[in-house]
């Protein structure tokens, strides 16, 4: 948590509220009635772990015109929250994660972590790519160790943490294997261990389970849920699978198709642990899906008959 | 083992046909020597050390010229691939220069350096430098972007990003460039040696011609093939295959 509460909220919040903001842990929103600075603010103020403040991203298409990919996205993620972002393909949800990770700059707006604006990558936010991006020239252990090496963590500690995280994802026996020797699900777990080993506060996951078979995916859901509850990390999870989002998330944010905007948010208050097949998960997913349908149709229209679109 | 058996049969058949043709004496033996004549030439060549010396001299030139072209080619390739201006200007020039057979550099080399060792090395360098450069440049471009992003994401930047991520990520392409460079260097060197004096395998080949000794000509040709194949086919291809398998570039 930030020791600097004045800077805790994005500038979109009216200035009067910004000093001495007091947030409700369960809503993550400033309580408007409180305007005075509490005597021990740090214990009570919940600074959003990640805050997106009016993020927009446009780029120049090959045709020469400027296209708006992300349009004025504001979003707050509480510490320890599991947030899922769903949207049709092409809505810019992966791009949004890249921005949070600091791999690409946004056109306008700010990304704040613990209230401080982000410029460039940092090991407090680790992104697990859809393609994973595991290093084939390193062993499983070498991959997990990589981020720590870059942070100049000492050898003994690296060793200890590699062992710890490999045990956490049940891959201790495969420490000396190379990536090409592993199955898809195992690679996912290596990516997870590699990300966790750098000790990030925020884990950004970009459709990590999209390419897996259903059984493996279910297992990894269970493991991810367990790791999340054990480590208390903040997770922002992007997927196009609504049911997956409902199964995993505390909150599901729905994005629109081109340009990407926040369409609606859903709180998921179902008890954990959950299962994909659970009736209430399916019901909630149905609600989200109804809302998403328009956007999916737009996305399909664009893919099948691009000439009709604009 | 099955493949090996096929190869044994194939080469035996080839030798058989050769023997028959030589026995039929369609062409005089000094133009079309029998296999055992070539065998003798090989034996004699090694016995009087001339082949050993030839191999040693050629390999030494190869090592110097090739190493030089790999180092320079990598630097040049990196420069061209990481600078837009260089890519659009020098890059185009390099590609067009590559259409020049390396033997075309010989007149220039002779005028600049005379009939010296330097001239031979220059031809080898020019023969393989461009292909190493171009392969290096292509490699940098083809390298999956994801590795660089993953590296930055995990906190690597600057030299460490280059050394621990970008370099190993482009290793398969580098090896491919080195392999191509070797093939070009080998051809250029033998060509150059055939024109310059001074030992070497190319020189031995020309000596065979001057003495009308077809057996020696063929013997040296066989040597060139074997040496070239040993490095290219055995060392480089094995390295390449292993890397591609490890990097998941081929369905291993």
């Amino acid at each position: 948590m930030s020791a600097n509460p004045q800077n805790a909220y994005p500038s979109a919040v009216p200035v009067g509220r910004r000093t001495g903001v007091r947030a409700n842990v369960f809503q993550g929103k400033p309580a408007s009635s409180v305007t005075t600075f509490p005597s021990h603010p740090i214990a009570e103020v919940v600074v959003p772990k990640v805050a997106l403040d009016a993020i927009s991203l446009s780029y120049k298409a090959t045709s020469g015109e400027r296209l708006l990919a992300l349009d004025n996205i504001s979003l707050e993620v509480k510490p320890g929250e599991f947030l899922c972002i769903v949207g049709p393909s092409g809505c810019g949800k992966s791009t949004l994660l890249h921005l949070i990770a600091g791999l690409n700059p946004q056109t306008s707006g700010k990304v704040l972590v613990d209230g401080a604006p982000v410029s460039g990558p940092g090991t407090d936010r680790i992104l697990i790519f859809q393609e994973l991006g595991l290093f084939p020239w390193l062993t499983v252990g070498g991959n997990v160790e990589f981020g720590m090496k870059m942070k100049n963590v000492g050898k003994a500690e690296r060793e200890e943490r590699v062992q710890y995280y490999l045990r956490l994802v049940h891959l201790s026996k495969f420490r000396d294997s190379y990536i090409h020797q592993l199955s898809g699900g195992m690679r996912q777990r290596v990516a997870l261990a590699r990300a966790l080993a750098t000790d990030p506060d925020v884990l950004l996951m970009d459709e990590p389970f999209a390419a897996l078979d259903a059984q493996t995916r279910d297992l990894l859901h269970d493991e991810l849920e367990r790791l999340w509850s054990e480590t208390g990390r903040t997770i922002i999870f992007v997927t196009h699978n609504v049911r997956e989002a409902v199964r995993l998330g505390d909150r599901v944010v729905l994005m629109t198709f081109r340009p990407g905007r926040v369409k609606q948010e859903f709180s998921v208050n179902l008890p954990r642990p959950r299962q994909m097949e659970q009736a209430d998960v399916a019901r909630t997913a149905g609600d989200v899906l109804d809302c998403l349908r328009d956007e999916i149709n737009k996305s399909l229209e664009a893919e099948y008959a691009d000439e009709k679109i604009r | 083992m099955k493949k090996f058996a096929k190869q044994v049969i194939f080469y035996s058949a080839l030798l058989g046909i050769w023997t028959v043709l030589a026995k039929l004496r369609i062409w005089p033996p000094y133009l079309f020597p029998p296999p055992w004549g070539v065998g003798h030439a090989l034996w004699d060549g090694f016995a009087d050390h001339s082949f050993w010396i030839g191999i040693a001299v050629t390999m030494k030139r190869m090592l110097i010229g090739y190493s030089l072209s790999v180092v320079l080619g990598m630097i040049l390739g990196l420069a061209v691939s990481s600078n837009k201006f260089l890519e659009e200007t020098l890059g185009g020039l390099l590609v067009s220069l590559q259409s020049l057979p390396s033997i075309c550099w010989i007149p220039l080399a002779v005028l600049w350096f005379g009939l010296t060792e330097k001239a031979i090395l220059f031809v080898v360098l020019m023969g393989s430098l461009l292909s190493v450069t171009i392969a290096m440049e292509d490699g940098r471009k083809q390298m999956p972007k994801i590795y660089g992003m993953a590296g930055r994401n995990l906190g690597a930047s600057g030299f460490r990003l280059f050394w621990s991520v970008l370099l190993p990520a482009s290793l398969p392409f580098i090896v491919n460039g080195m392999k191509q460079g070797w093939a070009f260097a080998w051809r250029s060197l033998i060509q150059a040696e055939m024109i310059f004096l001074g030992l070497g395998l190319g020189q031995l080949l020309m000596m065979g011609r001057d003495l009308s000794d077809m057996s020696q000509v063929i013997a040296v040709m066989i040597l060139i093939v074997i040496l070239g194949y040993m490095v290219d086919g055995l060392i480089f291809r094995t390295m390449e295959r292993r890397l591609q398998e490890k990097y998941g570039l081929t369905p291993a």
Side-chain angles (χ1 to χ4, degrees):
Chain A
M1 221 160 290
S2 170
N4 180 11
Q6 274 90 343
N7 197 17
Y9 278 91
S11 51
V13 178
V15 179
R17 285 194 208 159
R18 276 169 82 197
T19 43
V21 145
R22 191 171 172 192
N24 182 315
V25 183
F26 299 102
Q27 285 169 3
K29 286 190 178 137
S32 54
S33 60
V34 179
T35 47
T36 48
F37 209 86
S39 50
H40 297 290
I42 289 150
E44 302 195 330
V45 171
V46 173
V47 178
K49 191 73 218 176
V50 178
L52 305 183
D53 176 16
I55 292 284
S56 292
L57 178 77
S58 60
Y59 61 96
K60 214 174 196 156
T62 35
S63 59
E65 57 184 325
R66 279 204 89 76
L67 290 180
L68 193 59
L70 298 173
D71 184 17
N72 197 25
I73 292 185
S74 293
L75 203 61
E76 282 175 8
V77 191
K78 283 168 279 180
E81 187 178 11
F82 200 133
L83 178 81
C84 290
I85 301 178
V86 281
S89 55
C91 73
K93 50 195 192 301
S94 301
T95 314
L96 192 62
L97 279 195
H98 283 222
L99 295 185
I100 300 174
L103 292 171
N104 296 315
Q106 60 273 16
T107 314
S108 66
K110 264 186 268 176
V111 176
L112 300 119
V113 174
D114 290 328
V118 156
S119 60
T123 44
D124 53 341
R125 294 149 281 139
I126 294 293
L127 171 60
I128 301 183
F129 297 87
Q130 194 173 351
E131 320 83 312
L132 302 184
L134 294 170
F135 301 137
W137 56 90
L138 297 176
T139 58
V140 167
N143 267 282
V144 175
E145 197 181 17
F146 184 87
M148 292 187 277
K149 255 189 178 162
M150 294 301 123
K151 279 171 93 176
N152 298 320
V153 174
K155 196 167 166 49
E157 194 188 340
R158 285 203 314 256
E159 178 64 33
E160 200 177 301
R161 274 159 72 178
V162 166
Q163 277 180 18
Y164 173 76
Y165 285 105
L166 283 181
R167 216 176 314 123
L168 205 62
V169 297
H170 308 296
L171 280 173
S172 300
K173 278 191 191 151
F174 295 91
R175 189 186 168 143
D176 298 321
S177 303
Y178 282 94
I179 305 305
H180 76 273
Q181 297 166 319
L182 307 179
S183 70
M186 287 157 90
R187 289 178 198 189
Q188 279 296 343
R189 276 151 42 205
V190 177
L192 198 58
R194 180 173 79 168
L196 290 173
T198 57
D199 200 20
D201 292 343
V202 184
L203 210 53
L204 308 165
M205 304 179 79
D206 186 6
E207 305 213 26
F209 306 142
L212 298 177
D213 60 89
Q215 283 102 328
T216 312
R217 191 196 53 205
D218 286 353
L219 275 174
L220 287 172
H221 282 163
D222 295 344
E223 279 194 49
L224 182 62
E225 193 172 47
R226 176 176 62 85
L227 288 173
W228 168 71
S229 59
E230 278 173 15
T231 58
R233 287 190 169 90
T234 309
I235 297 182
I236 304 179
F237 188 103
V238 156
T239 176
H240 63 264
N241 184 336
V242 173
R243 199 163 319 177
E244 182 175 54
V246 172
R247 186 250 174 275
L248 290 170
D250 291 332
R251 190 154 56 110
V252 176
V253 169
L254 201 69
M255 276 177 71
T256 59
F257 177 73
R258 269 186 222 167
R261 297 193 185 99
V262 174
K263 183 168 187 176
Q264 201 164 335
E265 290 184 19
F266 298 82
S267 294
V268 185
N269 295 315
L270 305 173
R272 293 179 189 270
R274 306 172 189 153
Q275 293 297 323
M276 285 281 261
E277 299 76 24
Q278 242 166 268
D280 45 3
V281 167
R283 211 174 312 119
T284 311
D287 295 345
V288 181
L289 204 56
D290 284 340
C291 193
L292 182 65
R293 195 145 288 137
D294 286 351
E295 305 306 323
I296 293 178
N297 285 341
K298 274 187 228 160
S299 147
L300 289 180
E301 224 176 284
E303 277 188 14
Y304 288 134
D306 216 12
E307 55 269 20
K308 276 193 215 155
I309 301 294
R310 264 159 281 193
Chain B
M1 210 57 211
K2 235 181 158 184
K3 187 179 160 200
F4 181 69
K6 279 182 205 160
Q7 283 173 340
V8 167
I9 293 168
F10 174 74
Y11 285 108
S12 313
L14 213 59
L15 270 177
I17 293 169
W18 183 2
T19 309
V20 171
L21 285 177
K23 282 267 188 198
L24 287 174
R25 296 212 166 222
I26 304 169
W27 305 281
Y30 64 87
L31 287 185
F32 194 86
W36 53 88
V38 175
H40 264 295
L42 272 174
W43 180 265
D44 292 344
F46 281 115
D48 70 8
H49 300 300
S50 64
F51 281 12
W52 289 120
I53 295 168
I55 291 173
V57 168
T58 297
M59 286 320 248
K60 187 184 144 216
R61 285 174 183 151
M62 194 61 194
L63 229 59
I64 299 172
Y66 174 66
S67 319
L68 218 61
S69 80
V70 166
V71 171
L72 284 178
M74 282 188 185
I75 295 172
L76 214 56
L78 272 179
V80 170
S81 65
S82 47
N83 184 306
K84 191 103 184 132
F85 176 76
L86 283 179
E87 186 189 331
E88 284 165 358
T89 51
L90 187 61
L93 176 67
L94 292 177
V95 172
S96 57
L97 273 181
Q98 221 213 348
S99 65
L100 198 64
S102 54
I103 203 162
C104 299
W105 289 102
I106 288 178
L108 192 146
V110 172
L111 290 178
W112 274 1
F113 302 105
L115 288 168
T116 61
E117 199 71 16
K118 266 189 207 153
I120 296 185
L121 290 179
F122 179 75
V123 173
V124 174
L125 182 66
M126 291 317 288
S128 67
L129 174 67
L130 297 177
S131 75
V132 175
T133 306
I134 291 167
M136 198 52 203
E137 190 194 337
D138 279 354
R140 275 292 300 275
K141 279 192 214 141
Q142 284 174 42
M143 186 196 83
K145 298 270 178 297
I146 181 83
Y147 296 133
M149 287 209 291
R152 288 204 293 140
N153 184 34
L154 290 165
S157 62
F159 177 74
R160 289 183 100 176
L161 182 68
F162 172 76
W163 184 254
S164 340
V165 180
L166 300 182
L167 196 66
S170 47
L171 200 60
F173 305 105
I174 294 175
V175 168
N176 181 44
M178 284 171 65
K179 186 183 135 200
Q180 276 187 34
W182 174 272
F184 276 103
W186 183 244
R187 282 160 184 72
S188 312
L189 176 58
I190 303 293
Q191 287 170 3
E193 281 183 348
M194 285 171 71
I195 289 171
F196 293 89
L197 298 170
L199 310 164
L201 289 173
Q203 171 70 17
L204 286 172
L205 199 58
M206 290 311 273
M207 212 150 80
R209 189 201 77 164
D210 293 340
L211 301 172
S212 287
D213 186 350
M214 193 50 142
S215 298
Q216 175 165 347
V217 169
I218 294 177
V220 176
M221 283 168 74
I222 290 175
L223 269 186
I224 293 171
V225 168
I226 290 176
L227 279 175
Y229 178 78
M230 266 184 1
V231 178
D232 183 56
L234 299 182
I235 300 177
F236 277 114
R237 223 160 283 177
T238 313
M239 230 154 93
E240 205 177 30
R241 188 155 24 82
R242 287 227 182 114
L243 274 176
Q244 284 185 343
E245 196 183 297
K246 190 165 154 185
Y247 280 57
L249 293 172
T250 48

